[in-house]
Amino acid sequence: MEKKTAEIGLIGLAVMGKNLARNISNKGFHTVVYNRTTDKMTELIEEYGSENLSGEKNIKNFIKKIKRPRKIIIMVKAGEPVDMVINEIIPHLEKNDIIIDCGNSNYVDTKRRFFELKSRNIHFIGCGVSGGEEGALNGPSMMPGGSKTAWKSVEKIFTKASAKDFSNEPCVTYIGDNGAGHYVKMVHNGIEYGVMQLMAEAYEILRTIYKLPAPKIAEIFARYNKGKLNSYLFEIAVKVLNEKDEFKNGYLIDHILDKAAQKGTGQWTAMDSLERSVPLSTITQAVYARVISGAKVQRNKLSKLYKRAEIKKSIPLKTFIPILNEALYAGMLSTYAQGYELIRKTAKEEKWEINLGEVSRIWEGGCIIRAKILNFLHKSYKKSDKHLLELKEVQTAMKKSMPNLRKVNAYTSQNGIPSPALATAQSYFEAMTQDSSSANMIQGLRDFFGAHTYERTDKKGSFHTKW
């Protein structure tokens, strides 16, 4: 019997690739898979193979099995492995075939691949995918960028495979040309770093100042999750805090080593913001917080040399819980404002037509940062393309919540608790809403030692003083 032609092919069967292949095939699209090591493909097909999910051991046969124009998803480790796969399949492709990189690639690589493949008459899509292994299987948030013509060919498949937003619409939209999809995914991950750090600092305040055990903090986070902080991250934070330890009495969180790892996307976001001169203080500090956490040996050594600040519990817990709730909300809005401004500026520089309302919408479901706050931003951005802090709805929210963020930062400082994300979220807001800053002092100093000149408030042009 002749083998059925596949709608789409997928290369790379680690957890994300395997689950995405199952997701697409479960939605009724015949998917053929290939993996460099045949065992993984064989295992997948033996366990989940069906009329809509098949595998091939040979790359040539794999490609031959896909309906023209061929649509091939690559799900391998970012960097050189993606180029290796592309080089392997190119000899077997034809004009107008489509390659889709659904890995966590750097957008710079995506741009390069887009133009290289375009010169060979091959369409290329760089698609950010968020949601982890559960999202890949049950519906992720998908951020495709690149060839708009190719997007039209895969839109039906991706629409069916993606998660649903608050209005039950698919969490996928065409982001923009060449590297736009992977760029937006990169900033998404940067925002994720910032939000997670804000939550970690809230946890630290509650356990250090109020000496609360993990399940009590879980109760507070569960309460937050019922309000405007409702999100996937708070949902799983409650589960993490309530998890009992399997080796000894107590809770697992108290035995997890305080060293936070990272895969690089937060660093990419921070570095890109510096190159584009866009302030990204909270996200950058979240990256540095992970770096500092990694210096465990040195931290342990230094902790013996310095006495910690004496804890001053001046705010009753019952009073503090709603204050912290509002502070976190203001901190998250500030973090989103930074990330969105980076997307806005980059879109103008790269000539990408990115709709921030749509970006907010497709992050409402499936992705790691899915949250109620995104529905708020989606609605706020429907008729605007301004700085997030300019939006009327955001102005109202920040005016209400910012006094509480100031209180929390004063409180953590008084008690010697590091809170880089909370502090920089406030600092970013204060600086961006300040008409007159201290930068005139910097310019005066620069002109003194380097004759760098300065502008004046009352005259046009550049000036230099012989100090």
Side-chain angles (χ1 to χ4, degrees):
M1 184 176 176
E2 189 180 343
K3 293 180 179 178
K4 185 179 175 184
T5 305
E7 287 284 331
I8 194 164
L10 186 145
I11 298 173
L13 297 176
V15 176
M16 287 290 287
K18 180 172 65 176
N19 283 359
L20 188 59
R22 288 176 58 198
N23 176 357
I24 293 170
S25 64
N26 288 341
K27 299 300 191 300
F29 301 100
H30 184 196
T31 308
V32 60
V33 297
Y34 170 83
N35 197 71
R36 184 174 55 84
T37 51
T38 305
D39 289 350
K40 282 191 176 182
M41 184 274 291
T42 304
E43 287 170 15
L44 175 67
I45 300 306
E46 284 179 353
E47 190 169 1
Y48 299 107
S50 65
E51 183 184 356
N52 286 326
L53 182 61
S54 60
E56 288 290 342
K57 298 178 181 179
N58 176 282
I59 194 74
K60 189 175 180 180
N61 291 340
F62 162 80
I63 291 170
K64 280 174 68 176
K65 193 172 181 180
I66 306 165
K67 186 191 297 183
R68 293 182 178 86
R70 300 177 183 90
K71 308 169 190 69
I72 301 173
I73 294 174
I74 299 175
M75 287 291 281
V76 299
K77 189 177 179 181
E80 189 180 358
V82 178
D83 290 317
M84 289 172 66
V85 171
I86 290 173
N87 291 334
E88 185 180 8
I89 64 177
I90 278 288
H92 307 289
L93 299 184
E94 298 173 356
K95 183 179 179 181
N96 293 326
D97 282 346
I98 302 163
I99 298 175
I100 310 145
D101 176 13
C102 283
N104 242 352
S105 288
N106 189 309
Y107 83 97
V108 176
D109 288 334
T110 302
K111 279 181 66 176
R112 170 179 57 79
R113 290 167 187 144
F114 173 85
F115 289 110
E116 285 176 356
L117 290 167
K118 187 176 182 181
S119 69
R120 293 175 172 230
N121 294 312
I122 302 293
H123 296 294
F124 186 67
I125 292 174
C127 181
V129 176
S130 179
E133 49 190 274
E134 180 192 341
L137 179 61
N138 299 317
S141 172
M142 306 183 82
M143 297 152 253
S147 168
K148 198 164 189 177
T149 302
W151 161 242
K152 292 296 179 186
S153 295
V154 301
E155 184 175 6
K156 185 178 178 182
I157 297 173
F158 280 23
T159 296
K160 291 276 189 182
S162 64
K164 297 293 185 286
D165 66 14
F166 286 16
S167 300
N168 207 35
E169 294 297 318
C171 288
V172 61
T173 192
Y174 175 74
I175 299 294
D177 203 12
N178 53 76
H182 275 140
Y183 189 87
V184 166
K185 173 58 164 58
M186 178 190 78
V187 178
H188 163 286
N189 285 23
I191 292 170
E192 181 184 309
Y193 272 59
V195 171
M196 288 173 70
Q197 182 62 30
L198 288 165
M199 293 172 64
E201 290 170 18
Y203 158 78
E204 178 71 359
I205 293 166
L206 293 169
R207 75 166 179 167
T208 303
I209 297 179
Y210 295 97
K211 309 296 182 187
L212 296 183
K216 289 294 182 183
I217 299 174
E219 286 178 16
I220 294 169
F221 279 13
R223 194 186 312 178
Y224 289 169
N225 197 43
K226 290 177 182 175
K228 58 188 177 183
L229 291 179
N230 173 262
S231 65
Y232 172 71
L233 284 170
F234 266 107
E235 178 189 320
I236 64 171
V238 173
K239 294 177 182 178
V240 168
L241 288 164
N242 278 323
E243 185 71 20
K244 293 280 186 71
D245 194 289
E246 61 178 310
F247 299 110
K248 54 178 71 175
N249 289 334
Y251 292 86
L252 175 60
I253 190 72
D254 297 321
H255 302 288
I256 295 177
L257 187 66
D258 55 327
K259 283 175 67 174
Q262 52 185 319
K263 289 190 173 180
T265 45
Q267 289 180 24
W268 292 351
T269 314
M271 290 164 64
D272 193 77
S273 74
L274 287 169
E275 289 176 0
R276 296 183 188 275
S277 298
V278 178
L280 210 71
S281 48
T282 305
I283 292 168
T284 303
Q285 283 300 324
V287 174
Y288 280 134
R290 294 198 192 188
V291 174
I292 289 173
S293 79
K296 178 66 176 175
V297 174
Q298 192 165 26
R299 286 192 292 118
N300 183 262
K301 185 178 178 181
L302 290 171
S303 71
K304 294 176 173 62
L305 304 178
Y306 295 91
K307 187 179 178 182
R308 302 298 297 170
E310 185 181 341
I311 298 298
K312 298 174 182 176
K313 193 163 57 177
S314 57
I315 306 175
L317 179 61
K318 191 175 181 181
T319 305
F320 184 71
I321 289 171
I323 290 173
L324 182 59
N325 180 71
E326 291 293 337
L328 285 168
Y329 193 66
M332 288 178 190
L333 281 174
S334 177
T335 304
Y336 275 98
Q338 295 165 46
Y340 278 33
E341 192 59 14
L342 181 59
I343 293 174
R344 263 189 7 125
K345 182 166 183 183
T346 302
K348 288 176 183 174
E349 291 176 352
E350 300 284 346
K351 296 181 172 55
W352 295 334
E353 293 182 10
I354 296 179
N355 184 322
L356 287 170
E358 272 291 275
V359 169
S360 304
R361 184 190 67 75
I362 66 170
W363 287 351
E364 287 179 8
C367 73
I368 302 301
I369 62 171
R370 59 186 184 266
K372 192 173 184 179
I373 199 170
L374 283 158
N375 186 247
F376 170 63
L377 295 178
H378 167 211
K379 291 175 180 175
S380 300
Y381 262 115
K382 267 189 173 178
K383 298 178 182 178
S384 175
D385 182 33
K386 299 177 180 177
H387 190 291
L388 188 142
L389 294 177
E390 286 186 75
L391 305 179
K392 285 186 179 179
E393 298 87 347
V394 175
Q395 288 180 47
T396 302
M398 289 299 275
K399 285 172 184 175
K400 179 184 177 184
S401 298
M402 270 307 300
N404 294 288
L405 180 55
R406 293 183 183 116
K407 284 179 189 174
V408 169
N409 280 323
Y411 200 32
T412 58
S413 179
Q414 181 187 37
N415 284 286
I417 297 172
S419 54
L422 286 164
T424 51
Q426 177 191 333
S427 182
Y428 175 82
F429 173 83
E430 310 288 17
M432 288 299 292
T433 56
Q434 178 185 33
D435 177 54
S436 179
S437 77
S438 58
N440 55 332
M441 181 64 181
I442 293 171
Q443 280 304 97
L445 294 170
R446 291 181 75 243
D447 189 60
F448 187 104
F449 67 68
H452 291 295
T453 75
Y454 54 86
E455 295 176 81
R456 291 181 58 93
T457 58
D458 54 355
K459 298 173 188 267
K460 289 185 178 181
S462 295
F463 296 85
H464 166 60
T465 296
K466 293 182 180 179
W467 302 88

